[in-house]
Every structure is written in C-alpha cells, then in structure tokens.
Amino acid sequence: MDGRAVRGEGRGPGWGAEADLVVVGSGVAGLTAALDAAAAGLRVVVITKDAVDDGSTRWAQGGVAVVLGDVPGDSVDAHVADTLAAGGGLCDAAAVASIIADGPGAVARLRARGARFDGPAGRPDRTREGGHSAFRVVHAGGDATGAEIERALVAAATDRRLALLTGHVAVDVLLAGGAVTGLAVLDDLCRPGVLHAPAVLLATGGYGQLYSSTTNPGTATGDGIALALRAGASAADLEFVQFHPTVLYTGPAVGRRPLVTEAVRGEGAVLLDRAGRRFMAGVHPLADLAPRDVVAAAITRTLVASGADCVYLDARALDGFARRFPTVHAACRAAGIDPVREPIPVTPAAHYSCGGVVTDLAGRTAVPGLWAAGEVARTGLHGANRLASNSLLEGLVMGERAARSVVASVQEGHLHATSLHEGGLAATPWPVATRAVVQRAMSAAAGIGRDAAGLAAASDAVEAATGLAEPRDRAGVEDAALTLLAQAVLAAAGTRTESRGCHVRTDHPERDDLWQGESLEVVLDATGRPAVRAAAAVAA
Ligand code: SIN
C-alpha cells in the first residue's frame, strides 16, 4: 500500500483503509518501526497530526548517548551505571542493560539509512551531557541531532514510498474481544474514518504541552497515553515530568521555548546566578554537569531565593560557539543575545515524560495488538529521571524491536483478523477542560516543587474547567488527552509522598526508602477516570 492508495478519491464520512500495521507518530521511534516493518513486507500506514517532521524528534539537540567502543575508559557498563544513577532507584535494571546494549547496532543501522553524525564517519565526535561519566554523545549538525535523524528517516520513508498520512489525528483504538482491530481517525478536513489493522504502534511522544512553557512542539499533547488508557492498557511513572534546566529565557511566554542544549555545559559553560556567582559547585560532585533533575531543581531554588526570573549560562569561554551550536546561537541572536559576549538567560521548562504506556522490552502493551515505543512508552529505562540523550537512543532501539515484534506476530498469525466495521468516532463524549486552564494549573502546582495543597487545588481547577464534549477535530482530541493526562499526573504526584528524581515535593523533600523501587501505575476506572495503584514490578 502506498500513500496514494490510502488517500484515495472521494473520501466521505466513514472512509476506511486497510493495513497490517498503523503507526501513530512520525518521529524517531515511529519511522524506524514503520521502515523496518515495511522492509519485512508488512503493509504499513503512518499517521501524523501535522507535517511529517513536526514532532519532538526534530527539536532534539544534544545527541544520542551510545558507547561505540573507541573512547578510552568508557564502556556499556559505565553507560548503564550512569543511567541507573540518574534514574533515582526507579529504573528497571534489566531494561536499562538490554536497551543500552542494543544502542551501537541501532545507531549503525541509522547511519546506514543515511543519518550523518559530526566528525569522521569511522570515529564520530563525542560530547558530554549532565550525568554522563564519559564523552559518549554523538551529535549531528552541531546541535541539530534530532533534525538530522528526522531528515534521514523521512528521506528513507519517501524513498520507500511509505504511506504517510499527514494532518491525521488518532481518536480511538478500535477493539474486538479485547484485541486491536484498527484505529479511528479524523483526517485533515475533520472527516472520521477507520484504518483497519490488527496492529497499532503508538509513537506519539510526550505531554509537554500540559505546561505553559515547554521545549516540546504543539503536537506533544499526550495523545498516545490517552489512547492506550482508553483501550485498557496501563501507564506508569507519569509523575516524573522532566524539566530541562536550560531553555532560553526571553520573558514570560507560553508554548514551545528554544532549548539550550546541555552539551553547552558539556563543553565547559557554567551556570551563574544574577549576581554572577556559580551555584552548582556545592550541590553535586558533577557540579554543572549533574543529572538534569538535580540541575533543574537547583536553578529553581536559586530563582525562588533571589526572586529573579532567570539564571545565566556563561559560554563565553567556549571556542567556536556559533559553529558548534548553530541552533542555540541562532535562537540567542534572534532574541538579541550574543552568547559569545554575554551569558545566556535561561530557566527550566517541561521537556520529557519519563513515564508512559507500560510496555515490555518488545514494545508490547497489555492489550493484544497494541504496541508503544519512544517517549510515549514506559519501558523502565528512565526511572525517576532520564539520563540526557538516552531518549533518541530508546526511540531507535525500541522502534526496531516493536517492528520485529509486530512482524513476528503477523507472520505467526497471532493477531486478530480485522473486522471491517464502518464509522470510527467514539459516540461517548469525553471530559475536556480548557487548555489554558490546564496549562496554568499544571505550571503553578505540578512543576518542580509540588505539595499536597497545590496539587489538590490544581485538580479542582481542572475539574471546574471540564465539560463533556465529543471530539470533532484535532484540538478537541488533544484537549481531551491533556485533560486525562492532567488528572493522571496530578493523581500520581499527589500519591507519591516523597521527592525522587524529577518529582520534587516541597512537603516531602526527602527520598523515602518505603518508595524505593515502587512505580505508580495508572489505569482508567469504570467511570473513565485515572486510578493510581502502586505496583512494585510494573509489567505489560
Ligand atoms: C539537550 O540537548 O540538552 C537535550 C537532550 C535530551 O533531552 O536528552
């Protein structure tokens, strides 16, 4: 099947198409999986809400953390140890070892697909980021790694004539007898339709748009988690929303903010308070290169103590800033800042969802026929705080694995035969709150530094702004997903009465051993509301 076959002529309400696998999302995990599944002979359709490259992948700057075996003193074991240390006692050690071990092969296959990293082909340049004990992060275009990966994957998808439906939003996973039979969607003219398929892979990214200020694009509205929860899968670790320590501060603003990659600190830049004092030195042995949660929390404390709006990243001692960090340099210059001559004003902003849809190490959820890979999924790699540049790595590795798993299931005849029912939109209206209210409530109460009273007030504010509505367009679908995610994150954050990783509770400021190794799982109860339960060993 190619794109033209799916688009067809004369679509009306209830249009349909058939595939073996529908992939929702066209970032690193989605396109990797789609290309591999298509290469294995499956009929694959990829849907994406916006343009093909408008997801989170293209905005990733720093790089891909991977041990290629040529950096003295570095090893896969060291990468595993750094990941576990950053994850605050909540990683699944087996997942960490397995995913990191597959990194070098996945990066080699990405390069074979056309992605070009900086430095000589046989020995790419390496940088360092927070929490890494070695220079092991490969990068492209200086600080445009995600853009290069997306370019290469989109080019490969175009060469293969992969069926890519842009401007399509997923509304509901369709089930029969508890197994996937397809996906209800709205097309770019808001017409409902069905993609009939026995396998659906969610690769929709995270939910940074829950917050007013985020590094994520407008597409990051938690759709995949909402789809999975409604289909009967579970999610876990949702309270661990990672805030990137350094986004460019240009005054109060809502929406996607320009990232200032951690690699700037990896190459020697340091954080200063408004009096010009370094404040990371006594906070962690790695100082400015501490794991991300530690740096973001220290910046937040500095801002609260001083009443300042931002801190500063001093990169003036770095050689060749514009060449090494062209994306950051351009963003600074556009804001009237010259990072070669003056410190860059920065603040933390919502960046990454460490939790997500619970999957096994093949990307399978608990729902037959439903897979998830990339940021939308919770494999156990990240625990309470993701190590920098492990996200593109996970997207590559888990995209490949999900494809292998789907292909095996199709070939072995394990998947449900599709039933060609018509229509597609859920008849039941969903709870939908006003997006601006959700973002304000989450930013005020569920950022870095939460307490019981604030979380309860945010829940009340979301509740008060919620009504029932049928999803008739992309915004309606996204707002319903954001509403569900807000309820789930607030419930999980209220339940975890300790501070760990990127979950910082001001009323429970210490890590509590009672919570050691304890994940919180979220499912929907009979009324469709998120219910939180403790689950020491979360498994799909
Ligand atoms: C960064 O470049 O600082 C972000 C990379 C990441 O999120 O891992």
Side-chain angles (χ1 to χ4, degrees):
M1 182 190 293
D2 68 14
R4 287 164 307 165
V6 178
R7 280 183 191 94
E9 290 293 313
R11 264 188 195 177
W15 61 269
E18 226 183 321
D20 298 314
L21 168 65
V22 176
V23 177
V24 189
S26 56
V28 59
L31 286 183
T32 299
L35 285 163
D36 283 6
L42 262 52
R43 298 170 303 158
V44 180
V45 177
V46 180
I47 73 159
T48 185
K49 288 193 289 188
D50 230 313
V52 66
D53 63 351
D54 270 357
S56 293
T57 295
R58 83 168 240 221
W59 300 104
Q61 293 187 354
V64 185
V66 65
V67 176
L68 298 178
D70 58 345
V71 174
D74 197 16
S75 65
V76 167
D77 285 351
H79 188 180
V80 166
D82 291 347
T83 301
L84 293 171
L90 211 64
C91 298
D92 174 335
V96 174
S98 152
I99 292 170
I100 286 177
D102 271 7
V107 168
R109 288 183 284 280
L110 175 68
R111 292 171 78 180
R113 254 181 190 140
R116 292 185 294 266
F117 290 96
D118 296 335
R123 203 165 193 283
D125 295 344
R126 250 52 64 87
T127 191
R128 198 172 158 200
E129 291 181 69
H132 286 277
S133 57
F135 281 74
R136 66 165 72 98
V137 176
V138 295
H139 48 87
D143 57 4
T145 313
E148 169 58 12
I149 290 175
E150 190 69 23
R151 181 205 64 74
L153 292 174
V154 171
T158 307
D159 282 354
R160 177 163 265 286
R161 302 183 78 223
L162 205 66
L164 274 169
L165 301 184
T166 57
H168 284 61
V169 64
V171 179
D172 237 345
V173 176
L174 301 174
L175 304 167
V180 168
T181 59
L183 190 74
V185 301
L186 287 171
D187 73 7
D188 32 15
L189 296 176
C190 303
R191 294 172 301 194
V194 174
L195 295 168
H196 304 279
V200 168
L201 168 65
L202 303 172
T204 50
Y207 45 90
Q209 290 289 328
L210 268 185
Y211 294 85
S212 306
S213 173
T214 173
T215 61
N216 294 184
T219 48
T221 50
D223 307 6
I225 298 175
L227 287 163
L229 287 174
R230 290 193 200 105
S234 67
D237 296 340
L238 296 181
E239 66 274 34
F240 298 106
V241 179
Q242 183 174 74
F243 282 71
H244 195 285
T246 57
V247 303
L248 184 61
Y249 179 75
T250 53
V254 173
R256 193 186 71 76
R257 315 299 307 140
L259 184 64
V260 179
T261 175
E262 275 197 292
V264 177
R265 274 177 287 130
E267 308 270 337
V270 294
L271 287 160
L272 305 174
D273 65 15
R274 71 172 166 192
R277 286 182 299 247
R278 290 186 64 178
F279 57 87
M280 283 308 301
V283 172
H284 190 277
L286 291 172
D288 294 88
L289 274 180
R292 198 168 277 177
D293 56 336
V294 176
V295 181
I299 293 175
T300 303
R301 285 195 301 274
T302 303
L303 295 179
V304 170
S306 66
D309 293 325
C310 63
V311 295
Y312 295 89
L313 184 61
D314 189 352
R316 287 174 293 181
L318 272 60
D319 283 338
F321 189 92
R323 188 175 18 88
R324 175 64 184 84
F325 299 110
T327 312
V328 175
H329 187 257
C332 288
R333 293 312 304 229
I337 297 150
D338 183 355
V340 175
R341 295 197 164 73
E342 58 191 315
I344 306 166
V346 290
T347 51
H351 181 60
Y352 191 84
S353 322
C354 297
V357 181
V358 176
T359 74
D360 65 11
L361 291 180
R364 277 185 296 247
T365 73
V367 175
L370 187 63
W371 279 258
E375 187 176 354
V376 68
R378 183 271 187 197
T379 58
L381 174 64
H382 309 309
N385 172 57
R386 174 175 64 84
L387 183 67
S389 285
N390 269 356
S391 50
L392 292 173
L393 175 81
E394 187 187 40
L396 283 169
V397 170
M398 292 308 298
E400 288 187 344
R401 289 189 185 183
R404 274 202 299 279
S405 174
V406 173
V407 169
S409 295
V410 168
Q411 287 172 348
E412 290 160 16
H414 290 154
L415 293 176
H416 201 284
T418 55
S419 58
L420 291 170
H421 54 274
E422 289 299 322
L425 276 185
T428 344
W430 290 331
V432 181
T434 315
R435 189 179 302 206
V437 173
V438 169
Q439 290 175 334
R440 267 200 304 275
M442 294 300 289
S443 304
I448 304 171
R450 309 155 167 189
D451 62 25
L455 292 166
S459 291
D460 290 347
V462 172
E463 195 71 43
T466 300
L468 290 177
E470 280 181 34
R472 296 189 182 283
D473 55 17
R474 171 179 160 181
V477 173
E478 291 181 340
D479 288 346
L482 285 170
T483 305
L484 189 54
L485 261 298
Q487 293 169 339
V489 171
L490 290 168
T495 304
R496 184 175 285 280
T497 48
E498 65 157 355
S499 291
R500 184 181 295 271
C502 27
H503 172 68
V504 179
R505 286 277 304 248
T506 52
D507 52 351
H508 296 277
E510 303 299 331
R511 202 184 275 194
D512 184 342
D513 285 347
L514 286 176
W515 284 98
Q516 181 69 23
E518 193 80 54
S519 268
L520 288 173
E521 198 169 21
V522 173
V523 291
L524 294 194
D525 67 16
T527 68
R529 284 189 71 86
V532 176
R533 61 186 187 207
V538 170

